[in-house]
Amino acid sequence: MPACGQPAQPSRATWQHGCVTAATHSTLFPQVPDSADAVLEGLDPEQREVATALHGPVCVLAGAGTGKTRAITHRIAYGVRAGILHPSSVLAVTFTNRAAGEMRGRLRQLGAAGVQARTFHSAALRQLQYFWPKAIGGAMPRLVDRKIQLVADAAAACRIRLDRGELRDVTAEIEWSKVTQTVPADYAPAAAKAGRESPRDPAEIAQLYAAYEDVKRERSVIDFEDVLLLTVAVLQDRHDIAEQIRAQYQHFVVDEYQDVSPLQQRLLELWLGERDSLCVVGDASQTIYSFTGATPDHLLDFRTRHPGATVVKLVRDYRSTPQVVHLANGLLAQARGRAADHRLELVSQRPAGPEPVYAEYTDEPAEAEGAARRIRELVDSGVPASEIAVLFRTNAQSETYEQALADAAVPYQLRGAERFFDRPEVRKAGIALRGAARFGGNDSLLDDVVDLPSQVRAVLSGEGWTTQPPAGSGAVRERWESLAALVNLAQDFAAARPTATLADLVAELDERANAQHAPTVQGVTLASLHSAKGLEWDVVFLVGVAEGMMPITYAKTDEQIEEERRLLYVGVTRAREHLHVSWALSRSPGGRPSRRPSRFLDGLRPGSAAAAGRTAAGGAGGIERGIPGTRGSTPKRAQRVPARCRVCGRTLTDPGEMKLMRCDDCPSDMNEGLYERLREWRADQARSSGQPAFCVFTDRTLMAIAESAPDDERELARIPGVGMRKLTRYGADVLAICAGQSLAESTDHD
């Protein structure tokens, strides 16, 4: 057993052999680990590093599909189970109720119930409600769910006519202003500086924004952005309240940190105070919400603000096949800008799968029919409809695919519709199951059934569930799908807990409703790319991938174009195995075929040339993965050989370990005397040049030199961290020291 707070030695077999997919997936009802060490089982080395780095600031740079939620939930659970963290002292924050619910569910399964996992807004609202009487006095204003009617009333007060689209756009501008802490008087210059295209004259937007705030005050209501603004104001003005919250929460975890707005960052800083017990997780390449005020700058600047931070990079992709990962990496390889400079190159951990399929259609209805036809074939071949998704750039594209799937008799569900446990049929089913659990002995429906799944089927048959689904689609089919999801959940629950009763299942449903942890509904998912973030499917259809839609027409600036590229990257990385990419040459049947495939696919899809200016002369750029029909057309990029530990053979991804060419915890054969002589020489060089010692060589590079003791320039140049410039400047000195010569002897000999 390790000492308290010390990581256990890794058991590599648990993640390298037979448990690869466990890095991102867990069984539906897993057994609670019986110890703190058991929490670490199944984690790969980088995930384990995240889980055991419990002190000081920690930054986790996690690529798509690398098991980031698994890593941070195991981190919290390990800290709790090891007695290092008290459950009630941990606050984990993320951006959606679904993600917070999933986190709570996973923590419960790991034996760390009691940890607060919330969105920024729900955490702030809870604090604001509690402290309002003490900080402000009186009753807290009512929170409005939708602000668009208030914006309409503000426009009427200003005698400005807005149609429905303009109302929505002005509302978005007000939301952006508030999360960036911009007041009405500063809107115009702030919008210009941010490169925003205002839906109306900026002076008019500022007027509407001010009027909107007046309407809220008159009606004693607040909106969601006010929750954060007011909480920040209370914590800034009332140090006693701030200290009370800081006494409650000692440790913070922030998921999706690339999506933090300036206002959320300010709230986080006030929660922290002068402490640094913070773990942030994010991926700059998945920044797709900048239009709402989100910025990856806080993630990218984390090491600047916290120089002593532990930084862990997760690049092992357990979700997608090498073919899907290769396309995703290819998209980012052509990216530009600050986020692209910090991209993570994913390494698939899955067996090879099929190449992405690219399809061109004459018009959008033909594209939808083609996708529906292929989906019908997949469902008929045994692929669950719930493991298939159709992803598009705008919600307006949904209708065409709804019709095409309905015509093909394929069930579907719309992502972003009402939440599962809020559906009327699910609420009624819950009431029926609760009643049967209490009074089942008097229910004739249950007379001839004994096992739990049969009891659930019997109860739900009274609510409309049948053994066979109704024909077609529509509301009747959707209600049946909801009830069928509950039946399937009962079967899984009974398989995991054979002695479970109907009352146990009802308790499980209550837990899941509180956590918004919905069971799987059998239906193809239709979703926008933005709403698909954080989800995954076996089969993904990326549709409408044409210029004007991807990137969208109104993306004009370089920053906006790059965000569109990242949005497509998010879409690609939702696919586990099968990826279909399609586009249409015209919008309507008989229309002029003026569209072309998205520029983001240049050099990646069969027969396409690399994007101009991105490759060397000769057309050798782009990425081709041996897609049928393109053999010999474009030279393949040489595959990079992964760095491996020279002691144990493990693949290395940490830059520090790659410099040493060994794992940090593998035995070192370093010549300690040589290392000290190199350090003394480096200190002299730093003093004479007036620069920090690490600018000469980092400690890791010196350790690598001391371990390999190079005999000539060729061997020295192979060591990571020794570039041509440093080889020219310092090579002779370093080789002399490695040869045991004094620098004076080396100079005389030369």
Side-chain angles (χ1 to χ4, degrees), residues 458-474:
V459 172
L460 296 187
S461 65
E463 300 300 321
W465 179 82
T466 56
T467 54
Q468 295 298 320
S473 59

Side-chain angles (χ1 to χ4, degrees), residues 39-237:
V39 171
L40 300 178
E41 292 178 2
L43 300 182
D44 70 29
E46 294 77 30
Q47 292 171 342
R48 181 180 288 259
E49 181 65 30
V50 174
T52 55
L54 294 169
H55 303 288
V58 177
C59 179
V60 183
L61 302 176
T66 58
K68 69 178 179 64
T69 304
R70 179 178 175 84
I72 58 175
T73 52
H74 281 67
R75 179 182 196 271
I76 295 169
Y78 177 71
V80 169
R81 300 293 295 278
I84 301 169
L85 304 176
H86 192 279
S88 64
S89 72
V90 180
L91 178 58
V93 287
T94 187
F95 284 81
T96 66
N97 288 318
R98 183 198 60 80
E102 180 184 359
M103 195 177 291
R104 287 194 295 271
R106 291 202 195 193
L107 289 169
R108 180 165 59 94
Q109 293 168 354
L110 292 169
V115 172
Q116 292 292 313
R118 297 181 173 274
T119 65
F120 271 100
H121 283 90
S122 67
L125 179 59
R126 196 176 188 209
Q127 293 171 14
L128 194 62
Q129 288 171 330
Y130 183 82
F131 289 108
W132 187 275
K134 179 178 180 180
I136 312 296
M140 182 174 156
R142 179 174 61 88
L143 178 64
V144 292
D145 289 333
R146 299 178 72 247
K147 56 175 70 70
I148 198 162
Q149 184 56 53
L150 296 178
V151 175
D153 294 343
C158 296
R159 298 186 179 182
I160 296 175
R161 295 176 61 87
L162 299 176
D163 61 29
R164 182 175 298 179
E166 288 175 319
L167 269 175
R168 190 167 55 246
D169 292 342
V170 170
T171 300
E173 288 304 293
I174 291 174
E175 290 174 347
W176 173 82
S177 299
K178 298 184 78 165
V179 300
T180 55
Q181 298 175 282
T182 302
V183 297
D186 295 337
Y187 169 77
K193 183 178 180 181
R196 294 183 73 84
E197 288 192 16
S198 299
R200 295 181 71 94
D201 181 84
E204 254 186 356
I205 300 288
Q207 182 185 4
L208 289 166
Y209 179 13
Y212 167 78
E213 293 298 314
D214 290 339
V215 169
K216 284 197 295 127
R217 277 191 293 271
E218 291 167 3
R219 301 181 186 180
S220 295
V221 297
I222 59 175
D223 60 27
F224 276 103
E225 289 71 40
D226 290 329
V227 171
L228 299 184
L229 285 163
L230 289 167
T231 305
V232 165
V234 168
L235 296 182
Q236 286 180 157
D237 295 343

